[in-house]
């Protein structure tokens, strides 16, 4: 869903988890990859094989 560029609230609804959970995981992924934006982090994660 990061690759789709979805906002955190929409990801939370689709995944059935809280907004704070999405934000925490999203921030961790972006920090590990060194990106500020969801989409760029999602693309980098796909390229590294972390998500399909």
């Amino acid at each position: 869903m990061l690759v789709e560029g979805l906002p955190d609230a929409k990801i939370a609804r689709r995944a059935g988890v809280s907004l704070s959970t999405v934000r925490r995981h999203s921030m961790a992924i972006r920090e590990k990859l060194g990106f500020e934006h969801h989409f760029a982090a999602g693309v980098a994660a796909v390229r590294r094989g972390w998500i399909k």
Side-chain angles (χ1 to χ4, degrees):
M1 288 181 256
L2 288 174
V3 176
E4 294 175 29
L6 296 177
D8 291 342
K10 193 163 205 169
I11 292 171
R13 281 192 302 276
R14 282 179 65 182
V17 298
S18 72
L19 181 56
S20 62
T21 297
V22 171
R23 287 182 175 159
R24 185 175 64 246
H25 287 290
S26 176
M27 184 185 331
I29 291 168
R30 290 191 320 264
E31 285 178 356
K32 286 182 181 185
L33 293 171
F35 290 99
E36 189 174 323
H37 299 288
H38 284 114
F39 185 80
V43 170
V46 168
R47 286 183 179 160
R48 292 176 186 210
W50 292 1
I51 56 176
K52 296 178 182 185

